[in-house]
Amino acid sequence: MNKTSPYDSPRILWVLTIAFLLIWFYMLGARTLVPTDEGRYAQMGREMLASGDWITLRLNGIKYFEKPPLQNWMNALTFAVFGLGDWQARLWTGLNGLLGVAAVAYTGNKIFNRRTGIIAAMVLGSSFWWAGMGHVNSLDMGLSGMMTLALCGLLVAQMAGVNSKTERNAMLVCWAGMALATMSKGLIGFVLPGGVLVIYTVVTRDWGLWKRLHMGKGLILFFAITAPWFILIAIKNPEHPHFFFIHEHFQRFTSTVHKRGGPWHYFIPLLIIGIVPWIGVLLQGLWSGVKDNPPGFQPRKMLFIWAAFLFFFFSISGSKLPGYILPIFPALALLIACHLEQNDSRPVKVAGILLILVGIAGAIGLAVYLIKLDSVDTFDRTLAIGYTPWIVGIITLAIVGGLLTWLLARKGTTGKDWAIICLAASGYLVGQVAFLGHNPWGKYIAGSEYLPAIKAELTSPTTPFYAVGRYEQALPFYLERTVTLVEFPDEMQFGLHQQPELWIPKREDFIAKWQAHQDKGETAVAILRNDIYEDLKKTDFPMRLIAKDPRRVIVANLVNKNK
């Protein structure tokens, strides 16, 4: 190894790590929580803390059994320690993103070499989708962080020459990772790793691997982590097991019951975008896993099967969302790192050139969009114009970063090492600038700019507050309260079937309640779907406008008209 390599300098590595972490933690609180996921899981954690019920999950005060509790537990604990806020709501997912980066660094170092571990950490930490989703309060990163523990534990446990103690401890980490993944998002937490293991042993005929899984201790640990909550919630809510296991797993996978379908190629463009800035070495990294054929355990083949099987599994599912493929990125990072470490600088040059092309494509797309901007709605045009300087910054970072990567990669081994660092830094900054510039859109989607006006009307925790024809996922969290749903059950339909008294199914009943508040001199506030607002304007419905945009209308009754 070249002694002048930046990977040999603890000072350089510490500077890079500290800079990376400063940006990572800053970005956790730099944006408004964006519906739907971010508002939903922040609100569920807040409600859990406020109610003191850590078993029965609720959204908007209504039973909500779609997912297990780990994310809500962690969010509630964070709120208990640090208070309510944006960065607090994202802390658990942010830590899971960092856990994945640390895990691939450790694993790459243990089963390959130190340089591979360092490169793998840079690849994963700078990949657009991993770094981006590490700053989104959703279940996908929590699941991915725990599944990365399972993957890395298995890889370390099965590597050649490992002693029995390390094998046992690493496998217990693997079992714990599967258990916590199950507590994050359900049965896929162990079904997917199990599927990978079966496919790997069939392909490699390494049947002896099953004897090295420490299955007895592992199953005890797995059920010690998972069983208590599943038992307790079934006792308190007998309706939970059927909904959770049949509706949310079997029907979700085999049908479009959630109306989240997509074509077979749904995840291909997401993978290409998500792996930026490493597009130029993605296929080569995958191919290195295909041709891996050493005697004994084959870690790169395991990584390839992990990435390929998970991608295939979610591609054939009847339910598809962009975050589903996130767990494949740690495996891709290790494969890409192996390829970069074992080859000369040509793959890095290609990656740099492709990053330049990404920037050029972005510039062309921006120019076309600006030409057509006059045909865009006035409100959307204002937001787009505000985002334009950020897009210019993204384009500049991509082109300059790609060019510097290409130039550095021409200067031997040390140049190659610096080129990889440059590519990682450029990709990381491109992603974070993109997310930061999105904040005005996020505020619009969340409706957070209307919080002062709404709070001025909601002078008491008991002031009636309705959501008519729509449900706002973020505003309840910021207002620290729930709303009464009207005419629109949204994703709480199952819970409302169990607790029908918690909503108003018919608009005429809402109108009667609203009029009763008016007659009694009670303040009431409602968020209306726009078409419903237009319908009510044609009647004598007593209301005054608080705020209005293309997504929502906020009104109060006439009690405080002269306030």
Side-chain angles (χ1 to χ4, degrees):
M1 187 183 294
N2 193 319
K3 293 184 179 180
T4 61
S5 169
Y7 304 153
D8 288 338
S9 170
R11 179 177 297 178
I12 291 174
L13 294 178
W14 274 112
V15 168
L16 293 173
T17 301
I18 292 171
F20 170 77
L21 291 175
L22 286 174
I23 295 172
W24 188 279
F25 282 108
Y26 169 77
M27 286 296 295
L28 291 179
R31 299 178 297 109
T32 297
L33 296 174
V34 181
T36 56
D37 282 6
E38 291 208 286
R40 177 197 300 125
Y41 295 114
Q43 173 70 351
M44 290 180 72
R46 188 200 68 78
E47 290 185 43
M48 177 176 282
L49 180 63
S51 68
D53 186 348
W54 296 71
I55 302 300
T56 301
L57 307 181
R58 291 181 175 84
L59 173 60
N60 196 45
I62 301 160
K63 291 181 180 181
Y64 189 85
F65 293 159
E66 291 196 5
K67 296 296 183 287
L70 184 59
Q71 180 104 359
N72 299 301
W73 285 347
M74 295 300 103
N75 284 346
L77 287 172
T78 302
F79 295 150
V81 175
F82 300 110
L84 300 179
D86 296 334
W87 71 264
Q88 296 93 322
R90 296 189 180 104
L91 183 60
W92 173 243
T93 48
L95 292 176
N96 272 277
L98 293 177
L99 175 64
V101 173
V104 298
Y106 176 83
T107 304
N109 178 58
K110 289 288 287 186
I111 65 176
F112 299 115
N113 55 58
R114 181 172 178 273
R115 288 171 58 85
T116 300
I118 293 171
I119 296 170
M122 287 192 290
V123 171
L124 185 60
S126 62
S127 294
F128 177 78
W129 210 227
W130 189 269
M133 293 300 290
H135 295 83
V136 175
N137 179 25
S138 76
L139 300 182
D140 296 309
M141 183 52 81
L143 170 71
S144 301
M146 297 303 107
M147 286 187 69
T148 304
L149 278 185
L151 170 63
C152 292
L154 179 64
L155 290 170
V156 172
Q158 304 304 323
M159 67 182 183
V162 68
N163 60 55
S164 58
K165 182 179 178 181
T166 300
E167 178 186 288
R168 180 200 66 207
N169 291 343
M171 278 311 308
L172 290 179
V173 169
C174 175
W175 284 100
M178 287 192 292
L180 291 170
T182 301
M183 295 300 288
S184 296
K185 210 172 180 181
L187 301 182
I188 60 172
F190 71 88
V191 169
L192 294 183
V196 169
L197 194 62
V198 170
I199 295 171
Y200 172 82
T201 51
V202 169
V203 170
T204 63
R205 302 186 182 277
D206 183 8
W207 310 111
L209 184 149
W210 288 86
K211 299 177 182 179
R212 305 191 296 271
L213 298 181
H214 294 265
M215 197 167 292
K217 296 184 183 71
L219 286 172
I220 292 172
L221 178 61
F222 181 89
F223 286 111
I225 293 172
T226 60
W229 178 78
F230 281 103
I231 293 171
L232 288 172
I233 194 169
I235 292 172
K236 293 186 67 174
N237 306 274
E239 68 274 21
H240 175 270
H242 181 273
F243 178 82
F244 181 81
F245 292 106
I246 303 302
H247 183 271
E248 280 301 303
H249 284 80
F250 179 75
Q251 291 180 353
R252 191 185 189 107
F253 181 78
T254 59
S255 71
T256 57
V257 64
H258 282 275
K259 297 181 176 59
R260 294 172 178 169
W264 64 268
H265 53 80
Y266 178 91
F267 290 110
I268 293 177
L270 290 170
L271 173 61
I272 293 172
I273 295 170
I275 202 64
V276 169
W278 308 97
I279 306 172
V281 285
L282 173 61
L283 294 179
Q284 301 96 313
L286 287 169
W287 179 245
S288 72
V290 173
K291 67 180 183 179
D292 185 39
N293 194 30
F297 181 63
Q298 300 172 33
R300 282 187 288 172
K301 189 153 288 179
M302 173 73 78
L303 290 166
F304 171 78
I305 292 171
W306 177 282
F309 174 65
L310 267 61
F311 189 87
F312 172 77
F313 177 90
F314 289 118
S315 293
I316 65 171
S317 171
S319 179
K320 295 180 177 72
L321 286 174
Y324 285 2
I325 61 167
L326 196 61
I328 76 173
F329 281 83
L332 295 178
L334 283 164
L335 287 171
I336 289 171
C338 288
H339 178 73
L340 291 173
E341 163 58 13
Q342 295 176 359
N343 287 275
D344 57 24
S345 61
R346 281 175 292 181
V348 189
K349 292 178 185 177
V350 172
I353 292 170
L354 283 178
L355 185 60
I356 294 172
L357 294 178
V358 168
I360 293 172
I364 294 171
L366 177 61
V368 171
Y369 184 75
L370 291 176
I371 291 171
K372 297 181 177 180
L373 201 57
D374 288 341
S375 62
V376 177
D377 177 83
T378 303
F379 192 89
D380 291 340
R381 188 188 311 125
T382 301
L383 290 172
I385 291 172
Y387 198 16
T388 299
W390 296 92
I391 297 177
V392 172
I394 293 166
I395 292 168
T396 303
L397 282 170
I399 294 175
V400 173
L403 180 60
L404 286 175
T405 298
W406 181 77
L407 291 172
L408 288 167
R410 301 175 64 196
K411 298 183 178 180
T413 302
T414 302
K416 170 192 166 184
D417 293 342
W418 279 109
I420 292 172
I421 292 172
C422 180
L423 186 64
S426 302
Y428 183 50
L429 291 175
V430 162
Q432 297 310 305
V433 169
F435 270 75
L436 190 60
H438 183 266
N439 196 40
W441 289 86
K443 288 181 177 180
Y444 161 55
I445 296 169
S448 57
E449 63 180 293
Y450 307 128
L451 285 169
I454 299 173
K455 289 179 179 179
E457 302 292 336
L458 297 175
T459 55
S460 166
T462 60
T463 300
F465 189 25
Y466 300 95
V468 187
R470 63 175 290 115
Y471 175 64
E472 296 283 352
Q473 291 279 10
L475 288 177
F477 171 73
Y478 288 118
L479 294 169
E480 299 182 38
R481 59 166 299 160
T482 59
V483 301
T484 301
L485 298 178
V486 179
E487 204 177 64
F488 183 69
D490 198 23
E491 58 188 316
M492 290 157 277
Q493 188 164 7
F494 173 79
L496 289 172
H497 180 72
Q498 311 298 320
Q499 302 168 286
E501 71 280 3
L502 296 182
W503 79 308
I504 303 174
K506 298 180 180 179
R507 191 185 305 181
E508 53 265 34
D509 294 331
F510 159 69
I511 293 174
K513 280 184 174 289
W514 186 270
Q515 188 63 56
H517 296 313
Q518 178 73 23
D519 294 342
K520 294 176 184 178
E522 299 173 345
T523 302
V525 180
I527 301 176
L528 312 174
R529 201 172 64 220
N530 292 59
D531 62 307
I532 295 176
Y533 170 71
E534 295 300 327
D535 289 343
L536 292 175
K537 276 175 63 177
K538 300 172 184 176
T539 70
D540 58 354
F541 187 77
M543 62 178 174
R544 54 192 167 86
L545 185 64
I546 302 300
K548 185 179 187 297
D549 64 35
R551 291 180 64 91
R552 61 181 69 79
V553 182
I554 304 169
V555 301
N557 60 4
L558 300 177
V559 170
N560 291 334
K561 185 176 181 180
N562 297 318
K563 182 177 176 180

